Amino acid sequence: MEMEAAMGLMRRMPPKHTETALSALLSLLPHHSSDLLSQVDQPLQVLRDIESGKEFILCEYNRDADSYRSPWSNKYHPLLEDGALPSVELRKLEVEANDIFAIYRDQYYEGGISSVYMWEDDNEGFVGCFLIKKDGSKTGQGRRGYLQEGAWDAIHVIEVGPEEEGTAHYRLTSTVMLSLTTDNESSGTFSLSGSIRRQMDMNLSVAEGHLCNMGRMIEEMESKLRNSLDQVYFGKTKEMVCTLRPPSEVVMRLPDS
Amino acid sequence: MADVEEAELSEKQKKEIAKWFFLNSPAGEIQYVAKDVKAILDNEELYNESASESFPLYNKSHMICLEMPGRMGDVLITSFGELNENEFLDPRTAQVATVDHIKQVCTKVRPAMDEELPSSYIEEFRCALDAELLKYVGEAYPKGVCSVYCTNGKDVEGPGFDFELAVVISAARLSPQNFCNGSWRSVWNIEFKDDDQMLELRGKLQVGAHYFEEGNVQLDAKHECRDSTVFQSPDDCAITIASIIRHHETEYLASLEASYSNLPDTTFKDLRRKLPVTRTQFPWHNTLQFSLTRDITKELGIGK
């Protein structure tokens, strides 16, 4: 009942205030904190790896106690002696995934930060979490410089089932959170923010390897999500504006005074 | 990551949090938010206190429109028409509406007393502008409601003194069955400056939209503009002011549309491109090539 109400509020509060709304809920419902943290997606946080100097993304999947494991050095920050680590074999796949996903990220995002985490799950398969964070503002990595503020956070969690007769089951759950603001003298502040989550299930041959399959699914999903946000979600808010004030009138110029 | 281990909150803190949720409700959604807040607080008294403090603020900032009993028409809930916490003046009908903020209904009306209304000199300007504005709003906003208030100098009896009018336009479209709500709010302050025979206009426009089918996406747009014109007769002032407002609001709508049409290819591209820089899908099947390149760059020491 309380969780239902909490999730109801999250569907209504402005997405750009997600962090404030979540911490408000956590303080009102401390007994539901683990449910809230796992069900409410929030903007991704970043730390810098002390060994490589590269930034990595924090999430529930690379957290142990109050430390977060870097995919670059495989070390916990702050240092944690007995922090959970993936098996040697899975760590190999994780390293490869991080390298390749960084190239993918660069081609689509022209910047940004990415991290991939993998861990064994209970039913002989494994789970991979692919994260991307991009600051597209003009003071960040926005190449075209249109955005006063612009954030994109993508979370892809992909569960890979055990291999059977050369195929495996993949379940991808993806969330994108974004906010963008343009600001100028003539048109004022224009701000869109939102979050959507979708799921995709596939049975695929593992002949080309798990990474190939996971990558393709994520690429397809990201394109779908970007398209839905752009066409459907932003489109619906535009429709609303045009319902409130239909754009039929021609701009009437006032005589120069 | 949020700090989970917080100390037990005081009643006052809980109330402040509840109010934050109320006041951040999108257009037309405060009743739904109230239901959820009530379930989460699980404390009738605390809920009632936070609701009774929040609803009046929300109703005024959203400039909601309520139907007056007895076919008197609609009244806008705005700070300009606020006589006391529950009484709001409708300048057009010269009626005072008593409002139940939490139920968002108007419970009764009474005729305004003389001292609650502007002088007949001011009324000439106010009425003329109201009539022009009704025409404009009727044409431009299918669900628009407008009102003109005197915000300063309402007792001025004739020329020689400054006074101020405020124009409010509020249009809301609530379609929760289609997961979509939105509102347009304009407030125009018009200073009638007797000394230099000028009118100074300041407009604040605000548009919000919420679409929430399997997601939560919100538009929040704001714009401020200024203009001025010469002091004329009440009728001429009204025509000029209405046309200035029409001009700015039409231009603003056009700039909103431009912001939307710039999204796919410019604005959005700075977050994520539709296609990779290479303009072809990512070669996942051939990622070995990247590993090789990586090894080579590593060997040659030319890595980033």
Coordinates of all heavy atoms in Angstrom, one line a residue, chain A residues 10-13 15-16 26 33 68 99-100 104 107-109 134 143-145 147 186-189 191 193-195 198 208 215-216 219 222 226 233 237 245 249 252-254, chain B residues 1-2 4 17 21 26 29 136 140-142 173 210 213-214 216-218 220-223 243 246-247 250-251 255 260 267 270-273 276-277 282 284-285 287 294:
Chain A
M10 N 6.1 9.0 -7.6 CA 7.3 9.0 -8.5 C 6.8 9.2 -10.0 O 7.6 9.7 -10.8 CB 8.2 7.8 -8.4 CG 8.9 7.7 -7.1 SD 9.8 9.2 -6.5 CE 11.0 9.4 -7.9
R11 N 5.6 8.7 -10.3 CA 5.1 8.9 -11.6 C 4.6 10.3 -11.9 O 4.4 10.7 -13.0 CB 4.0 7.9 -11.9 CG 4.4 6.6 -12.4 CD 3.2 5.8 -12.9 NE 2.3 5.4 -11.9 CZ 2.5 4.4 -11.1 NH1 3.5 3.6 -11.2 NH2 1.6 4.1 -10.1
R12 N 4.4 11.1 -10.8 CA 3.9 12.4 -11.0 C 4.9 13.6 -10.7 O 4.7 14.7 -11.3 CB 2.7 12.6 -10.1 CG 1.6 11.6 -10.4 CD 0.3 11.9 -9.7 NE -0.7 10.9 -9.9 CZ -1.5 10.8 -10.9 NH1 -1.4 11.7 -11.9 NH2 -2.3 9.8 -11.1
M13 N 5.8 13.3 -9.9 CA 6.8 14.4 -9.6 C 7.6 14.7 -10.8 O 7.9 13.8 -11.6 CB 7.7 14.0 -8.4 CG 6.9 13.9 -7.1 SD 6.2 15.5 -6.6 CE 4.5 15.2 -6.7
P15 N 10.4 14.8 -13.3 CA 11.6 13.9 -13.3 C 12.9 14.6 -13.0 O 13.8 13.9 -12.5 CB 11.6 13.4 -14.8 CG 10.2 13.6 -15.2 CD 9.6 14.8 -14.5
K16 N 13.0 15.9 -13.2 CA 14.3 16.5 -12.8 C 14.4 16.6 -11.3 O 15.5 16.9 -10.8 CB 14.4 17.9 -13.5 CG 13.3 18.9 -13.2 CD 13.5 20.2 -14.0 CE 12.3 21.0 -14.0 NZ 12.3 22.1 -14.9
L26 N 12.5 8.2 1.1 CA 13.3 7.4 2.0 C 13.2 7.8 3.4 O 13.2 7.0 4.4 CB 14.8 7.4 1.5 CG 15.1 6.6 0.3 CD1 16.5 7.0 -0.2 CD2 15.0 5.1 0.5
S33 N 13.2 1.2 2.6 CA 14.4 1.8 1.8 C 14.9 0.9 0.8 O 15.2 1.4 -0.3 CB 15.5 2.3 2.8 OG 15.9 1.2 3.6
Y68 N 32.4 1.0 -3.8 CA 32.0 0.7 -5.1 C 33.2 0.2 -5.9 O 34.3 0.8 -5.9 CB 31.4 1.9 -5.8 CG 30.1 2.4 -5.2 CD1 30.1 3.3 -4.2 CD2 28.9 1.9 -5.7 CE1 28.9 3.7 -3.6 CE2 27.7 2.3 -5.1 CZ 27.7 3.2 -4.1 OH 26.5 3.6 -3.5
D99 N 35.7 -2.4 -22.5 CA 36.5 -1.8 -23.6 C 35.6 -1.6 -24.8 O 35.6 -0.5 -25.5 CB 37.6 -2.8 -24.0 CG 38.8 -2.7 -23.0 OD1 38.7 -1.8 -22.2 OD2 39.7 -3.6 -23.1
I100 N 34.8 -2.6 -25.2 CA 34.0 -2.5 -26.4 C 32.9 -1.5 -26.2 O 32.6 -0.7 -27.1 CB 33.5 -3.9 -26.9 CG1 34.7 -4.6 -27.4 CG2 32.5 -3.8 -27.9 CD1 34.5 -6.1 -27.6
Y104 N 31.5 1.8 -28.4 CA 30.1 2.0 -28.7 C 29.6 3.3 -28.2 O 29.0 4.1 -28.9 CB 29.3 0.8 -28.1 CG 27.8 1.0 -28.1 CD1 27.0 0.8 -29.2 CD2 27.2 1.5 -27.0 CE1 25.6 1.0 -29.2 CE2 25.8 1.7 -26.9 CZ 25.0 1.5 -28.0 OH 23.7 1.7 -28.0
Q107 N 30.8 6.3 -30.1 CA 30.2 6.5 -31.4 C 28.8 7.1 -31.4 O 28.5 7.8 -32.3 CB 30.2 5.2 -32.2 CG 31.6 4.7 -32.5 CD 31.7 3.6 -33.6 OE1 30.6 3.2 -34.1 NE2 32.8 3.3 -34.0
Y108 N 28.1 6.7 -30.4 CA 26.7 7.3 -30.3 C 26.6 8.5 -29.4 O 25.8 9.4 -29.6 CB 25.8 6.2 -29.6 CG 25.2 5.3 -30.6 CD1 25.7 4.0 -30.8 CD2 24.1 5.6 -31.4 CE1 25.1 3.1 -31.7 CE2 23.5 4.7 -32.3 CZ 24.0 3.5 -32.4 OH 23.5 2.6 -33.3
Y109 N 27.5 8.7 -28.5 CA 27.4 9.8 -27.5 C 28.4 10.9 -27.7 O 28.3 11.9 -27.0 CB 27.4 9.2 -26.1 CG 26.2 8.4 -25.7 CD1 26.2 7.0 -26.0 CD2 25.2 9.0 -25.0 CE1 25.1 6.3 -25.7 CE2 24.1 8.2 -24.7 CZ 24.0 6.9 -25.0 OH 22.9 6.1 -24.6
K134 N 25.9 10.7 -19.7 CA 26.4 11.8 -20.6 C 25.9 13.1 -20.2 O 24.7 13.3 -19.9 CB 25.9 11.5 -22.1 CG 26.0 12.6 -23.1 CD 27.4 12.7 -23.7 CE 27.6 13.9 -24.5 NZ 27.1 13.9 -25.9
R143 N 28.6 18.9 -27.9 CA 29.5 19.4 -29.0 C 28.9 20.6 -29.7 O 29.6 21.5 -30.3 CB 29.7 18.3 -30.1 CG 30.4 17.2 -29.5 CD 31.3 16.6 -30.5 NE 32.3 15.7 -29.9 CZ 33.2 15.0 -30.5 NH1 33.2 15.0 -31.8 NH2 34.0 14.2 -29.9
R144 N 27.5 20.6 -29.8 CA 26.8 21.6 -30.6 C 26.5 22.9 -29.7 O 26.2 23.9 -30.3 CB 25.6 21.1 -31.3 CG 26.0 20.1 -32.3 CD 24.9 19.0 -32.6 NE 25.5 17.9 -33.2 CZ 26.0 16.8 -32.6 NH1 26.0 16.8 -31.3 NH2 26.6 15.8 -33.3
G145 N 26.6 22.7 -28.4 CA 26.4 23.8 -27.5 C 25.0 24.4 -27.4 O 24.9 25.6 -27.2
L147 N 22.6 23.2 -25.4 CA 21.9 22.9 -24.1 C 22.6 23.6 -22.9 O 23.8 23.5 -22.7 CB 21.9 21.4 -23.8 CG 21.2 20.5 -24.8 CD1 21.5 19.1 -24.6 CD2 19.7 20.8 -24.7
S186 N 15.0 35.2 -26.3 CA 13.8 35.4 -27.1 C 12.8 34.3 -26.8 O 11.6 34.5 -26.9 CB 14.1 35.4 -28.6 OG 14.6 34.1 -29.0
S187 N 13.2 33.1 -26.4 CA 12.2 32.1 -26.1 C 12.1 31.6 -24.7 O 11.4 30.7 -24.4 CB 12.4 30.9 -27.1 OG 13.7 30.4 -27.0
G188 N 12.9 32.2 -23.8 CA 12.9 31.8 -22.4 C 13.5 30.4 -22.1 O 14.3 29.9 -22.9
T189 N 13.0 29.9 -21.0 CA 13.5 28.6 -20.6 C 12.6 27.5 -21.1 O 11.4 27.5 -20.9 CB 13.6 28.5 -19.1 OG1 14.1 29.7 -18.6 CG2 14.4 27.3 -18.6
S191 N 12.3 23.4 -20.9 CA 12.9 22.3 -20.3 C 12.0 21.0 -20.4 O 10.8 21.0 -20.1 CB 13.1 22.6 -18.8 OG 13.3 21.5 -18.0
S193 N 12.0 16.9 -19.3 CA 12.7 15.9 -18.5 C 11.8 14.6 -18.4 O 10.6 14.7 -18.5 CB 13.1 16.4 -17.1 OG 11.9 16.7 -16.4
G194 N 12.4 13.5 -18.3 CA 11.6 12.3 -18.2 C 12.4 11.0 -18.0 O 13.6 11.0 -18.0
S195 N 11.6 10.0 -17.7 CA 12.3 8.7 -17.6 C 11.3 7.6 -18.1 O 10.1 7.7 -17.9 CB 12.7 8.4 -16.1 OG 11.5 8.1 -15.4
R198 N 11.8 -0.1 -20.2 CA 11.2 -1.1 -21.1 C 12.0 -2.4 -20.9 O 13.1 -2.4 -20.5 CB 11.3 -0.7 -22.6 CG 10.5 0.5 -23.0 CD 9.0 0.2 -23.0 NE 8.2 1.3 -23.5 CZ 7.8 2.3 -22.8 NH1 8.1 2.3 -21.5 NH2 7.1 3.3 -23.3
E208 N 28.2 -16.4 -31.8 CA 29.1 -15.2 -31.9 C 29.5 -14.7 -30.5 O 30.1 -13.6 -30.5 CB 28.4 -14.1 -32.7 CG 28.3 -14.5 -34.2 CD 27.7 -13.3 -35.0 OE1 26.5 -13.1 -34.9 OE2 28.5 -12.7 -35.7
G215 N 25.2 -6.7 -26.8 CA 25.5 -5.5 -27.4 C 24.4 -5.1 -28.4 O 23.9 -4.0 -28.4
R216 N 24.0 -6.1 -29.2 CA 23.0 -5.8 -30.3 C 21.7 -5.5 -29.6 O 20.9 -4.6 -30.0 CB 22.8 -7.0 -31.1 CG 23.9 -7.1 -32.2 CD 23.6 -8.2 -33.2 NE 24.7 -8.4 -34.1 CZ 25.2 -9.5 -34.5 NH1 24.6 -10.7 -34.0 NH2 26.2 -9.6 -35.3
E219 N 21.9 -2.0 -28.2 CA 21.8 -1.0 -29.3 C 20.4 -0.8 -29.8 O 19.9 0.3 -30.0 CB 22.8 -1.4 -30.4 CG 22.9 -0.3 -31.5 CD 23.9 -0.7 -32.6 OE1 24.3 -1.9 -32.6 OE2 24.3 0.2 -33.3
E222 N 18.3 1.0 -27.0 CA 18.6 2.4 -26.9 C 18.0 3.2 -28.0 O 17.5 4.3 -27.8 CB 20.1 2.6 -26.8 CG 20.7 2.3 -25.5 CD 22.0 3.1 -25.3 OE1 22.7 3.4 -26.3 OE2 22.4 3.3 -24.1
R226 N 15.2 6.1 -27.4 CA 15.5 7.4 -27.8 C 14.4 7.9 -28.7 O 13.9 9.0 -28.7 CB 16.8 7.5 -28.6 CG 17.2 8.9 -29.0 CD 18.3 8.9 -30.0 NE 18.8 10.2 -30.3 CZ 18.3 11.1 -31.1 NH1 17.1 10.8 -31.7 NH2 18.8 12.3 -31.3
Y233 N 6.9 10.6 -26.5 CA 6.8 11.3 -25.2 C 6.9 12.8 -25.4 O 6.0 13.6 -24.9 CB 7.8 10.8 -24.2 CG 7.3 9.5 -23.6 CD1 7.5 8.3 -24.3 CD2 6.6 9.4 -22.4 CE1 7.1 7.1 -23.9 CE2 6.2 8.1 -21.9 CZ 6.4 7.0 -22.6 OH 6.0 5.8 -22.2
T237 N 3.7 15.9 -25.3 CA 3.7 17.2 -24.6 C 3.6 18.3 -25.6 O 2.9 19.3 -25.3 CB 5.0 17.4 -23.7 OG1 6.2 17.5 -24.6 CG2 5.2 16.3 -22.7
R245 N -3.3 25.9 -26.8 CA -3.3 27.1 -27.7 C -3.0 26.6 -29.1 O -1.9 26.5 -29.5 CB -2.3 28.1 -27.2 CG -2.4 29.4 -28.0 CD -1.3 30.4 -27.7 NE -1.3 31.4 -28.8 CZ -1.7 32.6 -28.6 NH1 -2.2 33.0 -27.4 NH2 -1.8 33.5 -29.6
E249 N -3.2 30.8 -35.6 CA -3.1 32.2 -35.9 C -1.8 32.6 -36.7 O -0.8 31.9 -36.4 CB -3.1 33.1 -34.7 CG -4.4 33.2 -34.0 CD -4.2 34.0 -32.7 OE1 -4.3 35.2 -32.9 OE2 -3.8 33.5 -31.7
M252 N 0.7 38.4 -35.9 CA 0.3 39.8 -36.3 C 1.4 40.7 -35.9 O 1.7 40.9 -34.7 CB -1.0 40.2 -35.7 CG -2.2 39.5 -36.3 SD -3.8 40.2 -35.9 CE -3.4 41.4 -34.7
R253 N 2.0 41.4 -36.9 CA 3.1 42.3 -36.6 C 2.4 43.7 -36.2 O 1.5 44.2 -36.8 CB 3.9 42.6 -37.9 CG 4.8 41.4 -38.1 CD 6.2 41.6 -37.5 NE 6.8 40.3 -37.2 CZ 7.6 40.2 -36.2 NH1 7.9 41.2 -35.4 NH2 8.2 39.0 -36.0
L254 N 3.0 44.2 -35.1 CA 2.5 45.5 -34.7 C 3.2 46.6 -35.5 O 4.4 46.4 -35.9 CB 2.8 45.8 -33.2 CG 1.9 45.0 -32.2 CD1 2.5 45.2 -30.8 CD2 0.5 45.6 -32.3
Chain B
M1 N 24.4 8.3 -4.0 CA 23.4 7.4 -3.4 C 22.8 8.1 -2.1 O 23.4 8.8 -1.4 CB 24.0 6.0 -2.9 CG 24.6 5.3 -4.1 SD 23.3 4.4 -5.1 CE 23.8 4.9 -6.7
A2 N 21.5 7.9 -2.0 CA 20.8 8.6 -0.9 C 21.2 8.0 0.4 O 21.5 6.8 0.5 CB 19.3 8.5 -1.1
V4 N 20.5 6.4 3.7 CA 19.3 5.6 4.1 C 19.1 5.8 5.6 O 18.0 5.9 6.1 CB 19.5 4.1 3.8 CG1 18.2 3.4 4.1 CG2 19.8 3.9 2.4
I17 N 7.9 17.9 4.0 CA 8.1 16.9 2.9 C 6.8 16.7 2.2 O 6.7 16.8 1.0 CB 8.7 15.6 3.4 CG1 10.1 15.8 4.0 CG2 8.7 14.5 2.3 CD1 10.7 14.5 4.6
F21 N 5.7 17.6 -1.9 CA 5.0 16.8 -2.9 C 3.8 17.5 -3.4 O 3.5 17.5 -4.6 CB 4.6 15.4 -2.3 CG 5.8 14.4 -2.2 CD1 6.3 14.0 -1.0 CD2 6.3 13.9 -3.4 CE1 7.3 13.2 -0.9 CE2 7.4 13.0 -3.3 CZ 7.9 12.6 -2.1
P26 N 1.9 18.2 -10.8 CA 1.6 18.8 -12.1 C 0.2 19.3 -12.2 O -0.6 19.0 -11.3 CB 1.8 17.7 -13.1 CG 2.6 16.6 -12.4 CD 2.2 16.8 -10.9
E29 N -3.2 17.5 -11.0 CA -2.9 16.2 -10.3 C -2.8 16.2 -8.8 O -2.4 15.2 -8.2 CB -1.6 15.6 -11.0 CG -1.8 15.3 -12.5 CD -0.6 14.7 -13.1 OE1 0.1 13.9 -12.5 OE2 -0.4 15.0 -14.3
Y136 N -10.0 38.0 -27.5 CA -8.8 37.4 -27.8 C -8.7 36.0 -27.2 O -8.4 35.0 -28.0 CB -7.6 38.2 -27.3 CG -6.3 37.5 -27.2 CD1 -5.7 36.8 -28.2 CD2 -5.6 37.4 -25.9 CE1 -4.5 36.1 -28.1 CE2 -4.5 36.7 -25.8 CZ -3.9 36.1 -26.8 OH -2.7 35.4 -26.7
A140 N -8.1 32.4 -29.1 CA -6.8 31.7 -29.1 C -6.7 30.5 -28.2 O -5.9 29.6 -28.4 CB -5.7 32.8 -28.6
Y141 N -7.5 30.5 -27.1 CA -7.5 29.4 -26.2 C -8.8 28.7 -26.1 O -9.7 29.2 -25.4 CB -7.1 29.9 -24.8 CG -5.7 30.5 -24.7 CD1 -5.6 31.9 -24.9 CD2 -4.6 29.8 -24.4 CE1 -4.4 32.6 -24.9 CE2 -3.3 30.5 -24.4 CZ -3.2 31.8 -24.6 OH -2.0 32.4 -24.6
P142 N -9.0 27.5 -26.6 CA -10.2 26.8 -26.6 C -10.8 26.6 -25.1 O -12.0 26.7 -24.9 CB -9.9 25.4 -27.2 CG -8.7 25.6 -27.9 CD -7.9 26.7 -27.3
R173 N -5.9 21.7 -19.6 CA -6.5 20.6 -20.3 C -6.1 19.4 -19.5 O -5.0 19.0 -19.4 CB -5.9 20.5 -21.7 CG -6.5 19.5 -22.6 CD -7.7 20.1 -23.2 NE -8.3 19.3 -24.2 CZ -9.0 19.7 -25.3 NH1 -9.2 20.9 -25.4 NH2 -9.5 18.8 -26.1
H210 N 2.4 17.2 -18.9 CA 2.8 15.9 -18.3 C 2.2 14.8 -19.0 O 1.0 14.7 -19.2 CB 2.3 15.9 -16.8 CG 2.8 14.7 -16.0 ND1 2.1 14.2 -15.0 CD2 3.8 13.8 -16.2 CE1 2.7 13.1 -14.5 NE2 3.8 12.9 -15.2
E213 N 2.1 7.8 -19.6 CA 1.7 6.4 -20.0 C 3.1 5.6 -20.0 O 3.9 5.9 -20.8 CB 1.0 6.3 -21.3 CG 0.6 4.9 -21.6 CD -0.3 4.8 -22.8 OE1 -0.3 5.7 -23.6 OE2 -1.1 3.8 -22.9
E214 N 3.2 4.7 -19.1 CA 4.5 3.9 -19.0 C 5.7 4.8 -19.0 O 6.7 4.5 -19.7 CB 4.5 2.9 -20.2 CG 3.5 1.8 -20.1 CD 3.7 0.8 -21.2 OE1 4.7 0.1 -21.1 OE2 2.9 0.8 -22.1
N216 N 7.3 8.9 -17.4 CA 6.9 10.2 -16.8 C 7.8 11.2 -17.5 O 9.0 11.3 -17.3 CB 7.3 10.1 -15.3 CG 7.1 11.4 -14.6 OD1 6.7 12.4 -15.2 ND2 7.5 11.5 -13.3
V217 N 7.1 12.0 -18.4 CA 7.8 13.0 -19.1 C 7.1 14.4 -18.9 O 5.9 14.4 -19.0 CB 8.0 12.7 -20.6 CG1 8.5 13.8 -21.4 CG2 8.8 11.4 -20.8
Q218 N 7.9 15.4 -18.6 CA 7.3 16.7 -18.4 C 8.0 17.8 -19.1 O 9.2 17.9 -19.2 CB 7.3 17.0 -16.8 CG 6.6 15.9 -16.1 CD 6.2 16.2 -14.6 OE1 6.2 17.4 -14.2 NE2 5.9 15.2 -13.8
D220 N 8.4 21.9 -19.0 CA 8.3 23.0 -18.1 C 8.9 24.2 -18.9 O 10.1 24.3 -19.0 CB 9.1 22.7 -16.8 CG 9.1 23.9 -15.8 OD1 8.2 24.8 -16.0 OD2 9.9 23.9 -14.9
A221 N 8.1 25.1 -19.3 CA 8.6 26.2 -20.1 C 8.2 27.6 -19.5 O 7.0 27.7 -19.1 CB 8.1 26.1 -21.6
K222 N 9.1 28.5 -19.5 CA 8.8 29.8 -18.9 C 9.4 30.9 -19.8 O 10.5 30.7 -20.4 CB 9.4 29.9 -17.5 CG 8.8 29.1 -16.5 CD 9.4 29.4 -15.1 CE 8.9 28.5 -14.0 NZ 9.7 27.3 -13.9
H223 N 8.7 32.0 -19.8 CA 9.2 33.1 -20.6 C 8.8 34.4 -20.0 O 7.6 34.5 -19.5 CB 8.7 33.0 -22.1 CG 9.3 34.0 -23.0 ND1 10.6 34.5 -23.0 CD2 8.6 34.8 -23.9 CE1 10.8 35.4 -23.9 NE2 9.6 35.6 -24.5
S243 N -3.7 43.7 -28.2 CA -3.0 43.3 -29.4 C -1.5 43.0 -29.1 O -0.9 42.2 -29.7 CB -3.2 44.2 -30.5 OG -2.2 45.2 -30.6
R246 N -1.5 39.6 -27.5 CA -1.7 38.6 -28.6 C -0.4 38.4 -29.4 O 0.0 37.3 -29.6 CB -2.8 39.0 -29.6 CG -3.0 38.1 -30.8 CD -3.8 38.8 -31.9 NE -5.2 39.1 -31.4 CZ -6.2 38.3 -31.7 NH1 -6.0 37.2 -32.3 NH2 -7.4 38.7 -31.3
H247 N 0.3 39.5 -29.7 CA 1.5 39.4 -30.4 C 2.6 38.6 -29.7 O 3.2 37.7 -30.3 CB 2.0 40.9 -30.7 CG 3.4 41.0 -31.2 ND1 3.8 40.6 -32.4 CD2 4.5 41.4 -30.5 CE1 5.1 40.8 -32.5 NE2 5.6 41.2 -31.4
T250 N 1.6 34.9 -29.3 CA 1.7 34.1 -30.6 C 3.1 33.8 -30.9 O 3.5 32.7 -31.3 CB 1.0 35.0 -31.7 OG1 -0.3 35.3 -31.3 CG2 0.9 34.1 -33.0
E251 N 4.0 34.9 -30.7 CA 5.4 34.6 -30.9 C 6.0 33.6 -30.0 O 6.8 32.8 -30.4 CB 6.2 35.9 -30.7 CG 6.1 36.9 -31.9 CD 7.3 37.7 -32.1 OE1 8.0 38.0 -31.1 OE2 7.6 37.9 -33.3
S255 N 7.9 30.1 -30.8 CA 9.2 29.7 -30.3 C 9.2 28.4 -29.6 O 10.2 27.6 -29.7 CB 9.8 30.8 -29.4 OG 9.4 30.7 -28.1
Y260 N 10.6 22.6 -30.1 CA 10.3 21.2 -30.4 C 10.9 20.7 -31.7 O 11.4 19.6 -31.8 CB 8.8 21.0 -30.4 CG 8.2 20.7 -29.0 CD1 7.4 21.7 -28.4 CD2 8.5 19.5 -28.4 CE1 6.9 21.4 -27.1 CE2 7.9 19.3 -27.1 CZ 7.1 20.3 -26.5 OH 6.6 20.0 -25.3
T267 N 19.2 19.6 -30.6 CA 19.3 19.5 -29.1 C 19.5 18.1 -28.6 O 20.4 17.9 -27.8 CB 18.0 20.1 -28.6 OG1 17.4 21.0 -29.5 CG2 18.2 20.7 -27.3
D270 N 23.0 16.2 -28.8 CA 24.0 16.4 -27.9 C 23.9 15.5 -26.7 O 24.9 15.3 -25.9 CB 24.0 17.9 -27.4 CG 25.0 18.8 -28.2 OD1 25.7 18.2 -29.0 OD2 24.9 20.0 -28.0
L271 N 22.8 14.8 -26.6 CA 22.7 13.8 -25.5 C 23.1 12.4 -26.2 O 24.0 11.8 -25.7 CB 21.3 13.7 -25.0 CG 20.8 14.9 -24.2 CD1 19.4 14.7 -23.7 CD2 21.8 15.1 -23.0
R272 N 22.3 12.0 -27.2 CA 22.7 10.8 -27.9 C 22.3 10.9 -29.3 O 21.2 11.4 -29.7 CB 21.9 9.6 -27.3 CG 22.4 8.2 -27.9 CD 21.4 7.1 -27.4 NE 21.8 5.8 -27.8 CZ 21.6 5.3 -29.0 NH1 20.9 6.0 -29.9 NH2 22.0 4.0 -29.3
R273 N 23.2 10.5 -30.2 CA 22.9 10.5 -31.6 C 21.9 9.5 -32.0 O 21.8 8.4 -31.4 CB 24.2 10.3 -32.4 CG 25.3 11.3 -32.2 CD 26.6 10.9 -32.8 NE 26.4 10.7 -34.3 CZ 26.7 11.6 -35.2 NH1 27.2 12.8 -34.8 NH2 26.5 11.4 -36.5
P276 N 25.4 6.2 -35.0 CA 26.7 6.5 -34.6 C 27.4 7.4 -35.6 O 27.0 7.7 -36.7 CB 27.4 5.1 -34.7 CG 26.3 4.1 -34.9 CD 25.2 4.8 -35.4
V277 N 28.6 7.9 -35.1 CA 29.4 8.8 -36.0 C 29.7 8.2 -37.3 O 29.7 8.8 -38.4 CB 30.7 9.2 -35.3 CG1 31.1 10.6 -35.6 CG2 30.7 8.9 -33.8
F282 N 26.6 -0.4 -35.0 CA 27.8 -0.8 -34.4 C 28.2 -2.3 -34.7 O 27.4 -3.1 -34.7 CB 27.7 -0.7 -32.9 CG 29.0 -0.8 -32.1 CD1 29.9 0.3 -32.2 CD2 29.4 -1.9 -31.5 CE1 31.1 0.2 -31.5 CE2 30.6 -2.0 -30.8 CZ 31.5 -0.9 -30.8
W284 N 29.1 -5.2 -33.8 CA 29.3 -6.1 -32.6 C 29.9 -7.4 -33.0 O 30.7 -8.0 -32.3 CB 27.9 -6.4 -31.9 CG 27.3 -5.2 -31.3 CD1 26.3 -4.4 -31.8 CD2 27.7 -4.5 -30.1 NE1 26.0 -3.4 -31.0 CE2 26.8 -3.4 -29.9 CE3 28.7 -4.8 -29.1 CZ2 26.9 -2.6 -28.8 CZ3 28.7 -3.9 -28.0 CH2 27.9 -2.8 -27.9
H285 N 29.6 -7.9 -34.3 CA 30.1 -9.2 -34.7 C 31.6 -9.1 -35.0 O 32.2 -10.1 -35.1 CB 29.4 -9.6 -36.0 CG 29.5 -8.5 -37.1 ND1 28.7 -7.4 -37.1 CD2 30.3 -8.4 -38.1 CE1 29.1 -6.6 -38.1 NE2 30.1 -7.3 -38.8
T287 N 33.9 -7.3 -33.2 CA 34.6 -6.5 -32.1 C 36.0 -6.9 -31.9 O 36.8 -6.2 -31.3 CB 33.8 -6.6 -30.8 OG1 33.5 -8.0 -30.6 CG2 32.6 -5.8 -30.8
R294 N 43.3 -2.3 -30.2 CA 43.7 -1.9 -28.9 C 45.1 -2.4 -28.5 O 46.0 -1.7 -28.1 CB 42.7 -2.4 -27.9 CG 42.8 -1.8 -26.5 CD 41.8 -2.3 -25.6 NE 42.0 -3.7 -25.3 CZ 41.1 -4.7 -25.5 NH1 39.9 -4.4 -26.1 NH2 41.4 -6.0 -25.2

